[in-house]
Amino acid sequence: QCPAASLHSTCKGKDKVPTLAFEVDCSHSKKIMHVSQYFWGTINDKTISRVDPVFEKMNREDSVIKRMRWTSWDREGSVQRHQGGYFICDGGYHKWSTLMPPYKHQLPVSALEAWSKHVETVRKDG
């Protein structure tokens, strides 16, 4: 619950009403993997990610995410092997290798625009 003295500044986010924010991480199959403590609505994603333990764990060199192996295919259909997992997020986070936001600026009708729209769709799928 937001302290009464703070209602006018600390707890009011972009919607101008007292709000709470949570970091919720889920798997590709929509299983909730982690829910953070609550944060007041004025706290942004970059600040939350600095204090939420899940971000500290995923950025450690010995984390499971850094050891994950996966494959993708390039435009010619060749298999590309990769190591290191990532979290899809919006553009309000740090530029960490474990976070994958859509591109902020891209040319209309370009491959980057299509990819960014796809990432946004996957992130908001729920």
Side-chain angles (χ1 to χ4, degrees):
Q1 194 167 6
C2 196
S6 298
L7 282 176
H8 295 292
S9 60
T10 309
C11 300
K12 289 186 179 181
K14 65 182 178 185
D15 298 324
K16 307 297 184 216
V17 295
T19 58
L20 295 176
F22 296 86
E23 288 292 328
V24 179
D25 303 314
C26 54
S27 70
H28 66 282
S29 61
K30 301 179 185 176
K31 178 182 177 185
I32 294 176
M33 307 296 285
H34 168 79
V35 178
S36 71
Q37 69 177 46
Y38 71 87
F39 296 90
W40 292 338
T42 55
I43 309 296
N44 66 28
D45 294 335
K46 282 186 177 180
T47 303
I48 292 171
S49 65
R50 292 239 180 246
V51 298
D52 187 351
V54 77
F55 288 96
E56 179 186 336
K57 288 177 185 175
M58 77 180 190
N59 284 319
R60 287 190 351 223
E61 286 305 314
D62 64 339
S63 78
V64 171
I65 293 168
K66 299 252 182 173
R67 294 190 312 260
M68 291 178 69
R69 295 182 187 275
W70 53 281
T71 56
S72 67
W73 293 264
D74 64 18
R75 290 182 184 184
E76 289 77 39
S78 299
V79 174
Q80 303 292 311
R81 301 195 191 293
H82 308 275
Q83 181 170 338
Y86 56 87
F87 288 84
I88 294 174
C89 62
D90 65 24
Y93 288 84
H94 300 281
K95 291 178 172 48
W96 292 338
S97 63
T98 49
L99 299 177
M100 186 170 296
Y103 288 100
K104 189 171 187 170
H105 304 288
Q106 65 275 26
L107 295 173
V109 196
S110 68
L112 293 181
E113 180 188 47
W115 185 87
S116 292
K117 285 183 179 180
H118 179 70
V119 167
E120 275 296 310
T121 301
V122 169
R123 187 181 70 81
K124 292 181 177 182
D125 187 19

